[in-house]
């Protein structure tokens, strides 16, 4: 299915519609009387049904029709919105996603079960909400469509016909905004209309006429009796006045908020961005080769080549930076997924849970974002299931009955720090120690700091949960989470305080495609160390090298830092250079030195994946092509640090 396929375009838009409906439903779950949210859900379902039928998704259209009808009754105040209704429509929304991808009809039983639940919920709902607002004498409305309404497919005559169908009607055209003939564009709509509708007409029926243009048009609506206190709709064009009954200010991240003026954007398939990123990477490699070639000669011709090389280097750098920006997406698109997760977890666990998000405008490479979703789902499930207490336990501890899970994101240099924080019971370090001793990770009575104990939860099969639930507790997850984060060249850390909660911190690089690296040489081979992990470089004299044989520790500002000789690690047979260097690398609080023969300098590193044959070599994160066409391997900092820690533990054991 190509990107130009109308079915593909419909599927993309349908999924976006379902996302909007889901966000509006989740908001509605907290504000059941919010008329804007009810209208947003109805509009989304109505549009999905109509579009689905137009593109041949009959099963989807038929199923959505029932949910749309239910919310039409809510919108007309025939039944109130309830949390049970929201839950059923959320489940129905999941089924709609299934119908988007599977039109075989095999999921009919599941759909029937949802519709039966919907029927029961509507029947059991309290009889009627507030009576529909209607004016005995009728309504007077003045409306003006957007200037480009006709170009976008809106026919004003059809709207007027629909108004006439509601009752006795008198229509007056407003021509005060028609420009001079010389400036008139035939496809633009400059006419407004004043309409008097007589009869017992419900407000919702009038709103139905304008449902697809309501957000962009000007509309003033008042009862014919002129009772201002009962006037249900104010002028839509007045930004300081509510446009609907019950309007109230809403948070900036409220997904149900009406969209503002459409921005000039172009939808581009993600695979095209990936392809363009690959081309930029190739350009960076070629530019590196040209730069190396320009530095190798002399004479006027070479000076010209050198100047061209510098220009291309500058342009390639600007193109790379622009490309990186294009791939950045705000973490709000990631955090938004977890609102439904927390909503469902609250229902499953019977706990009152509030999800709070911060820093949603922080941007991360889209590839990083996609790979963060699963680890974060696991962490949030753990926080809700194990971290947060029940309402009774929280009351006994003097806490508010509603537990809080807070997601925050912020940028720090070339990294994004994402935190998952809860205000639950915290991690029981005594239980962690007992479990670690039972699994042989610690010897009985062995000294271990709180930080070291907390790191135990990342061991495979480690769980302190007293019982296994359907959500978590089997000890399979945190080790996978850690491996996933480290595969992103990130780090994970945990902090916890008894009775106050826990914080999981993820430090993730902004991008995975091109990094700044430090090019080093060991023997005849060259390697790249991610520059973000490099703390400093120091000289290792021959005398100090001889003294450190057998212990591999160096004193750096009164602190012992372990180091590894990469020549020995890689099994090299060449003699070391007389002036070796130590590159100190770190992630979080862990650091280690790497002994190299030469530090060549910084290098724009286009990361290429390892071949399947070499993918299991853990200490390399990938490869890159150098300016001379040779390949340099990229060192995996997290794996090297883990190796260094194992080496240090062996030395301590020997001592």
């Amino acid at each position: 299915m190509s990107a130009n396929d109308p079915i593909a375009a419909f599927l993309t838009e349908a999924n976006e519609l379902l996302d909007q409906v889901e966000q509006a439903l989740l908001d509605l779950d907290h504000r059941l009387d919010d008329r804007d949210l009810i209208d947003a859900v109805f509009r989304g379902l109505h549009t999905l049904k109509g579009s689905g039928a137009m593109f041949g998704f009959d099963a989807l259209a038929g199923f959505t029709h029932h949910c749309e009808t239910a919310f039409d009754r809510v919108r007309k105040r025939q039944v109130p919105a309830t949390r049970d209704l929201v839950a059923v429509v959320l489940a129905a929304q999941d089924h709609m996603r299934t119908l988007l991808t599977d039109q075989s009809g095999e999921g009919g039983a599941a759909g029937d079960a949802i519709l039966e639940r919907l029927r029961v919920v509507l029947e059991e709902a309290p009889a009627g909400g507030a009576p529909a607002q209607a004016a005995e004498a009728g309504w007077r409305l003045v409306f003006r469509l957007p200037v480009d309404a006709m170009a976008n497919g809106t026919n004003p005559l059809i709207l007027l016909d629909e108004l006439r169908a509601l009752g006795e009607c008198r229509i007056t055209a407003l021509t005060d905004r028609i420009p001079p003939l010389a400036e008139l564009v035939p496809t633009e709509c400059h006419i407004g209309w004043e309409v008097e509708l007589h009869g017992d007409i419900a407000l919702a029926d009038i709103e139905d006429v304008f449902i697809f243009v309501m957000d962009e048009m000007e509309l003033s609506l008042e009862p014919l009796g002129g009772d201002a206190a009962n006037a249900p709709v104010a002028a839509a064009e007045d930004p300081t006045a509510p446009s609907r009954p019950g309007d109230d200010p809403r948070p900036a991240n409220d997904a149900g908020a009406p969209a503002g003026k459409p921005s000039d954007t172009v939808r581009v398939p993600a695979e095209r961005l990936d392809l363009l990123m690959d081309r930029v990477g190739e350009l960076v490699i070629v530019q590196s080769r040209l730069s190396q070639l320009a530095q190798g000669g002399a004479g006027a011709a070479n000076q010209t080549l050198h100047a061209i090389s510098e220009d291309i280097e500058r342009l390639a750098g600007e193109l790379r930076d622009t490309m990186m920006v294009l791939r950045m997406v705000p973490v709000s698109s990631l955090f938004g997924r977890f609102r439904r997760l927390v909503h469902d977890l609250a229902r499953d666990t019977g706990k009152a849970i509030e999800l709070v998000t911060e820093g949603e405008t922080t941007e991360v490479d889209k590839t990083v974002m996609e790979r963060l979703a699963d680890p974060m789902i696991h962490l949030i499930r753990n926080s809700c299931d194990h971290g947060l207490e029940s309402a009774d336990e929280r009351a006994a501890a003097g806490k508010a009955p509603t537990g809080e899970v807070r997601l925050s994101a912020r940028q720090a240099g070339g990294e994004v720090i994402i935190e998952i924080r809860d205000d639950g019971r915290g991690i029981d370090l005594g239980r962690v120690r007992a479990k670690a001793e039972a699994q042989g990770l610690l010897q009985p009575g062995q000294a271990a700091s709180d930080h070291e104990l907390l790191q135990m939860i990342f061991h495979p099969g480690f769980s302190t949960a007293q019982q296994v639930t359907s959500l978590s507790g089997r000890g399979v997850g945190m080790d996978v989470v850690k491996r996933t984060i480290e595969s992103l060249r990130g780090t994970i850390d945990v902090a916890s305080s008894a009775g106050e909660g826990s914080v999981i911190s993820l430090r993730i690089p902004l991008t995975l495609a091109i990094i700044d690296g430090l090019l080093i040489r060991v023997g005849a081979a060259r390697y790249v160390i991610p520059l973000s992990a490099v703390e400093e470089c120091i000289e290792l004299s021959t005398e100090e090298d001889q003294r450190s044989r057998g212990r591999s520790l160096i004193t750096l500002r009164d602190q012992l830092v372990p180091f590894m000789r990469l020549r020995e690690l890689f099994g090299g047979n060449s003699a070391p250079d007389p002036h070796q260097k130590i590159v100190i690398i770190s992630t979080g609080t862990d650091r280690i030195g790497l002994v190299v023969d030469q530090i060549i300098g910084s290098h724009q590193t286009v990361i290429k994946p390892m071949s399947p044959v070499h993918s299991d070599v853990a200490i390399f994160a990938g490869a890159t092509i150098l300016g001379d066409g040779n390949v340099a391997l990229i060192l995996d900092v997290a794996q090297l640090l883990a190796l260094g820690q194992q080496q240090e533990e062996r030395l301590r054991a020997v001592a």
Side-chain angles (χ1 to χ4, degrees), residues 364-384:
V364 185
D365 185 285
K366 79 172 190 64
T367 304
V368 175
M369 189 82 73
E370 290 164 0
R371 295 174 61 182
L372 272 178
D374 287 344
M376 289 194 65
I377 286 174
H378 185 85
L379 296 173
I380 292 171
R381 288 165 69 101
N382 268 356
S383 291
C384 293

Side-chain angles (χ1 to χ4, degrees), residues 15-244:
N15 278 302
E16 291 178 354
L17 265 177
L18 287 172
D19 287 343
Q20 294 170 10
V21 169
E22 181 178 273
Q23 296 302 316
L25 285 169
L26 293 171
D27 285 334
L28 186 62
D29 195 48
H30 298 285
R31 305 194 297 273
L32 292 172
D33 57 348
D34 192 315
R35 307 304 302 174
D36 279 350
L37 292 174
I38 292 171
D39 289 344
V41 173
F42 174 77
R43 280 199 298 267
L45 295 172
H46 184 77
T47 306
L48 183 64
K49 183 190 77 171
S51 302
M54 186 167 66
F55 285 97
F57 287 74
D58 296 333
L60 172 69
F63 181 82
T64 308
H65 170 73
H66 296 282
C67 299
E68 178 206 11
T69 303
F71 259 85
D72 189 35
R73 294 181 62 188
V74 175
R75 192 171 59 102
K76 293 177 177 175
R77 302 174 188 258
Q78 295 170 355
V79 294
T82 63
R83 303 192 74 176
D84 287 339
L85 176 62
V86 170
V88 172
V89 179
L90 277 171
Q93 183 239 5
D94 292 340
H95 187 64
M96 293 172 200
R97 290 190 192 275
T98 304
L99 292 176
L100 280 174
T101 55
D102 180 10
Q103 300 186 68
S104 63
E106 295 179 355
D112 291 343
I114 293 172
L115 294 181
E116 176 61 18
R117 285 172 53 200
L118 181 63
R119 184 188 63 78
V120 171
V121 166
L122 290 174
E123 287 183 355
E124 293 179 349
Q133 293 191 21
E136 292 183 359
W139 301 87
R140 175 182 293 108
L141 59 151
V142 176
F143 71 92
R144 294 179 185 275
L145 297 175
V147 171
D148 59 354
M150 292 192 296
N152 291 332
T154 302
N155 187 341
L157 296 179
I158 293 178
L159 300 179
L160 294 172
D161 287 342
E162 291 184 17
L163 288 173
R164 286 194 189 95
L166 296 177
E168 183 182 347
C169 185
R170 189 177 71 183
I171 301 174
T172 305
L174 306 176
T175 58
D176 54 309
R177 295 188 185 178
I178 296 179
L181 184 60
E183 301 174 10
L184 190 62
V185 178
T187 58
E188 293 184 346
C189 178
H190 296 283
I191 303 176
W193 288 271
E194 180 179 353
V195 181
E196 283 187 11
L197 274 172
H198 297 272
D200 186 10
I201 301 168
L203 169 64
D205 290 337
I206 300 176
E207 291 178 337
D208 273 354
V209 174
F210 302 108
I211 189 168
F212 292 113
V213 290
M214 182 72 81
D215 292 337
E216 299 174 353
M217 65 180 296
E218 299 177 14
L219 174 64
S220 172
L221 184 60
E222 61 181 14
L224 280 179
D227 185 356
N230 293 327
V233 176
E237 70 274 19
D238 182 358
T240 63
S243 59
R244 305 283 184 84

